[in-house]
Amino acid sequence: MNKQEIIDRLFDKLRNSGCRYPKWELIQIIDPFLEVLKESLEEGNEIRLTNFGKFVVKAKKGRKYYNIQIGAIGYTPDKRVIVFVQHKSLDSMSKIK
């Protein structure tokens, strides 16, 4: 699902509940929201969304590897990765039925 599909579904949900927002206003709300999330993750902050889950930035240590072509040992650089931890209410979705 991309950003436009999210806006379309949000527009439909709001319209069905009696709220009349035009799509261009939803775009002006969603874009800054995503920017705030992105900036917060870049700073290394954790983002918690109640009853949904949290996004956590974790440090991943570099690994050692062997380069066969030159016969030398090298190291990959350390990096930061974003991990999503789902809320308990979403556990039923991840179980295999």
Side-chain angles (χ1 to χ4, degrees):
M1 177 179 271
N2 61 27
K3 186 169 65 172
Q4 187 59 47
E5 291 171 347
I6 292 171
I7 290 170
D8 291 339
R9 289 184 71 175
L10 182 60
F11 176 75
D12 292 337
K13 256 194 193 298
L14 290 173
R15 186 179 53 189
N16 292 339
S17 68
C19 192
R20 303 280 183 207
Y21 277 109
K23 281 189 182 179
W24 64 269
E25 281 187 7
L26 293 176
I27 292 170
Q28 289 183 340
I29 293 170
I30 298 279
D31 283 342
F33 173 74
L34 294 175
E35 281 297 317
V36 168
L37 292 180
K38 180 180 165 187
E39 291 168 1
S40 181
L41 289 171
E42 285 174 350
E43 293 170 3
N45 297 330
E46 178 181 291
I47 298 173
R48 285 181 193 246
L49 301 173
T50 306
N51 294 330
F52 184 69
K54 64 182 177 179
F55 294 93
V56 182
V57 178
K58 291 191 174 185
K60 190 171 184 181
K61 189 176 179 184
R63 299 183 320 147
K64 181 169 63 167
Y65 67 90
Y66 181 74
N67 189 336
I68 298 173
Q69 293 177 344
I70 61 174
I73 294 176
Y75 294 92
T76 60
D78 296 345
K79 60 183 177 179
R80 297 183 332 170
V81 293
I82 299 171
V83 178
F84 176 73
V85 181
Q86 67 186 15
H87 188 264
K88 289 184 286 185
S89 65
L90 297 177
D91 283 345
S92 63
M93 294 175 57
S94 63
K95 293 181 181 172
I96 299 172
K97 295 179 181 176

